[in-house]
Amino acid sequence: MAQALHEKELNLELGRLRLALDEFSMAYEWNELQASDERIRRYPCYPVELSVWHQVNSELKEYDNIHHRFWWSRHSGRALAVLLHSARYPLDIQYRDLKFFAQVVAPHLGASHDIHGVDVNGGTSPWPSFMTDDGTPLELSWDWGTKDCLPIIRYSMEPIGLNAGTSVDPRNLAVGPEFQDQLVRTLPNMRLELFQHFISFFNGHINKGMGPNEDGGDHQSSLFYAFDLTAAEITAKVYFFPKMRAKLYHQSNLQVVLQAIDTIPEVANDSLEACAVFREFTSDDVNKDLEYEMLAIDLVDPTKTRLKIYFRSRDTTFNSVINIMTLGGRLTNSKLYSGLVDLHRLWKALFGVSGSLDQPLSDNNHRTAGILYNVEFRLGDSVPAAKVYLPVRHYSSSDATVIQSLNDYFQYRQRGKYMPDYVKAVSTLL
C-alpha cells in the first residue's frame, strides 16, 4: 500500500529498525547507514542513489520560485530518486521520471512552510492537503507487483497554487488549468474525454468568487492526480471529491458519485452492470455507515479506464473486511477466498491482533482512521473488484513492525526478492 516517505511520516525508531535490518542479514553495518545518511545531507551528489537526480538538477536552468526549489531539491525530488534507484529502474527511465517531476510536478505543490530551513506560517501550510495526515501534498508509493516482477514506483499529488487558501485564491482554483495544460504537453497519450465530464460534474459549480469552504474543519481538497512510472510510459490518474457538490445540492456523497457515473455521455445502461452490483451492495443495512470519499479514473481510452470508488469503514474487524471485499457475498471465486486467507495472515502480523475475525483494531478517532477501500470496474464489466488499504500509520505499533511483517509475508509467499531493496530505500530516507 501507499506509504509516504517524507521525514514526518517515516519517523522510524533507529534502534528497533536496526533489529529488523539485522534479521534481513543486510551486507552493511548500522554505523555505515548512519554515515551514509550524513553524506546525503552534506553532499547531495555523493550517493549513487542521487546520481541521476544530480544530473537532472544540473540541467534545471532556473526554479519557478523558492517553493519549487524546496519540493525538488530539499524534499520529495530526492526521495523519489532514492525509490527509483532502489527499485532498479534503468538510468534512462530514472532520468525521464525525475525530469517530469522536476519540471511538471514540483512547481505545482504549493507554498512550503519551510523555507531555507526556517518555518513560516507557524509551520503549517495555508492549504493543508488531504493527501497526507500532516498536509503534505504528495505521497510516494512502492508497488510490489506480482510474483517476481520488478516493483513500480508511483505517487499521488494535489496541485496547489501559491496563493491557495488565501483571499486571492480561497478555493485553490488558479493552478488547475495551468497544470492540466502542462500535463497535456508532456504526456501526449493522455486521454481527457472522461476527465472533461467529471471535472464539470464535480467542480463546475465552484467559481473564483466563492469564499473558503466552511465544512466543520474537514479538508478542502477537490482534485488529486496520481502517476504510475512504468517502463513504457508515465500514466496518469485523477481523483474527484463529491463533498462540495453534495453539500450544495443536499445530497449524499454516494448519490453524487453514482449520478456522475450514470451521466457519462454515450454510455449504454448495460455497460454499467458492475456499477449496479456495487449499488446493490451499498443498500445493504450493514453498509449504511460507509463514508464515500472520492471517485478516480485513469486518463486513458475511456473503454479501458477503471472507475474507482473510494470509501471508508469505521468497522475495523476482519469480518467487516470479508464483507466488503466480497461485496456482501456477491463476489464468489476461489482466488478471492484464498487471497482473504493470505490477507488475514498479514493483518494479524501488521496489527498484532489475534485470529478472531470479530476483534476490532485499537480505538482511533482520526479523520483518516478506519479502513479505506475502493471498488473498481471498467465500462462493460459484469462485476467490480474490491481492494483494501491497510492503515498501518494508525494501527501498527511501529515502522519496524511493518517492515518485519512485510518481510515475513513475502518470505512466506516466496516473493521476498526485492525486500532488501525496499529496506535500504527506507533506511536511506531516514
Side-chain angles (χ1 to χ4, degrees):
M1 59 178 295
Q3 296 186 29
L5 295 179
H6 48 73
E7 291 182 358
K8 290 186 179 180
E9 290 198 11
L10 282 179
N11 184 23
L12 296 176
E13 298 176 27
L14 300 185
R16 301 178 73 175
L17 180 59
R18 180 178 183 178
L19 294 176
L21 292 174
D22 287 344
E23 291 181 13
F24 301 150
S25 298
M26 301 296 288
Y28 43 79
E29 296 296 327
W30 182 250
N31 59 353
E32 292 176 340
L33 280 176
Q34 292 177 312
S36 174
D37 289 344
E38 185 62 26
R39 286 194 295 269
I40 290 173
R41 286 190 288 270
R42 291 184 180 178
Y43 308 108
C45 55
Y46 177 87
V48 65
E49 293 93 337
L50 295 181
S51 59
V52 181
W53 179 92
H54 180 65
Q55 178 185 353
V56 173
N57 187 59
S58 68
E59 295 173 1
L60 286 176
K61 299 187 182 305
E62 61 183 16
Y63 295 99
D64 289 2
N65 48 63
I66 56 175
H67 307 288
H68 180 192
R69 178 191 295 272
F70 170 81
W71 294 114
W72 165 249
S73 67
R74 295 190 55 217
H75 195 276
S76 310
R78 295 192 184 196
L80 177 60
V82 170
L83 287 182
L84 291 170
H85 172 83
S86 299
R88 308 188 191 186
Y89 274 53
L91 293 179
D92 61 325
I93 304 301
Q94 290 185 49
Y95 178 85
R96 178 202 68 184
D97 295 338
L98 290 171
K99 193 84 167 180
F100 175 78
F101 185 89
Q103 294 182 332
V104 179
V105 176
H108 298 100
L109 291 173
S112 165
H113 61 78
D114 183 349
I115 300 175
H116 302 311
V118 178
D119 278 348
V120 296
N121 299 319
T124 61
S125 167
W127 186 271
S129 175
F130 189 54
M131 177 63 65
T132 59
D133 286 352
D134 71 352
T136 300
L138 182 115
E139 184 173 68
L140 299 169
S141 170
W142 177 293
D143 183 350
W144 293 96
T146 57
K147 297 184 179 179
D148 278 334
C149 295
L150 283 165
I152 295 175
I153 303 304
R154 310 179 298 182
Y155 56 89
S156 305
M157 56 84 66
E158 179 178 9
I160 300 176
L162 293 180
N163 295 310
T166 71
S167 59
V168 177
D169 186 17
R171 294 292 186 105
N172 189 31
L173 298 179
V175 71
E178 175 191 343
F179 181 68
Q180 184 66 24
D181 288 346
Q182 196 160 356
L183 283 184
V184 170
R185 293 193 300 271
T186 311
L187 304 177
N189 294 329
M190 191 173 67
R191 297 283 293 271
L192 296 177
E193 294 94 329
L194 290 181
F195 173 85
Q196 299 296 350
H197 164 70
F198 286 121
I199 193 68
S200 174
F201 186 89
F202 285 107
N203 293 0
H205 62 283
I206 306 174
N207 61 69
K208 295 182 179 179
M210 300 173 70
N213 179 32
E214 298 179 2
D215 197 9
D218 197 16
H219 73 90
Q220 300 195 59
S221 298
S222 63
L223 198 68
F224 289 166
Y225 286 82
F227 302 97
D228 290 359
L229 311 180
T230 67
E233 61 180 338
I234 299 173
T235 57
K237 299 187 286 283
V238 65
Y239 300 73
F240 305 93
F241 290 86
K243 55 177 288 186
M244 283 185 279
R245 183 183 174 98
K247 182 178 180 181
L248 180 65
Y249 292 102
H250 307 288
Q251 295 177 299
S252 69
N253 285 356
L254 175 61
Q255 287 174 319
V256 170
V257 167
L258 294 177
Q259 186 180 0
I261 294 172
D262 288 340
T263 56
I264 296 174
E266 301 179 7
V267 172
N269 289 336
D270 58 4
S271 296
L272 297 174
E273 186 178 350
C275 187
V277 174
F278 175 68
R279 192 189 303 258
E280 184 180 86
F281 162 78
T282 65
S283 66
D284 293 347
D285 287 342
V286 70
N287 302 320
K288 60 182 176 62
D289 293 326
L290 296 178
E291 302 170 12
Y292 297 90
E293 298 278 17
M294 54 191 174
L295 172 72
I297 60 170
D298 305 304
L299 297 182
V300 298
D301 183 331
T303 63
K304 298 178 181 178
T305 190
R306 295 166 298 169
L307 299 165
K308 305 168 70 173
I309 302 172
Y310 287 78
F311 56 95
R312 193 180 309 277
S313 173
R314 300 291 170 175
D315 186 339
T316 59
T317 66
F318 200 77
N319 258 339
S320 175
V321 176
I322 294 172
N323 170 60
I324 294 176
M325 294 297 289
T326 63
L327 294 186
R330 293 170 177 84
L331 305 182
T332 56
N333 64 74
S334 58
K335 185 177 180 181
L336 173 59
Y337 294 147
S338 64
L340 286 170
V341 172
D342 266 358
L343 179 62
H344 193 221
R345 177 187 297 272
L346 181 59
W347 179 276
K348 291 184 291 183
L350 286 170
F351 302 132
V353 294
S354 70
S356 172
L357 301 179
D358 292 322
Q359 180 183 357
L361 304 181
S362 56
D363 290 337
N364 193 317
N365 294 322
H366 194 278
R367 170 65 175 83
T368 60
I371 313 298
L372 184 67
Y373 301 85
N374 83 57
V375 165
E376 65 180 53
F377 53 88
R378 292 178 173 84
L379 297 175
D381 284 351
S382 58
V383 293
K387 294 182 180 179
V388 60
Y389 298 78
L390 304 185
V392 293
R393 74 180 74 176
H394 291 308
Y395 299 107
S396 289
S397 60
S398 69
D399 289 319
T401 297
V402 174
I403 291 176
Q404 183 64 62
S405 300
L406 285 174
N407 180 68
D408 293 345
Y409 174 77
F410 285 127
Q411 294 297 336
Y412 168 75
R413 293 297 308 276
Q414 298 182 338
R415 288 183 52 203
K417 182 176 180 180
Y418 299 107
M419 191 68 198
D421 299 298
Y422 176 76
V423 174
K424 184 176 180 182
V426 174
S427 304
T428 302
L429 291 168
L430 286 176

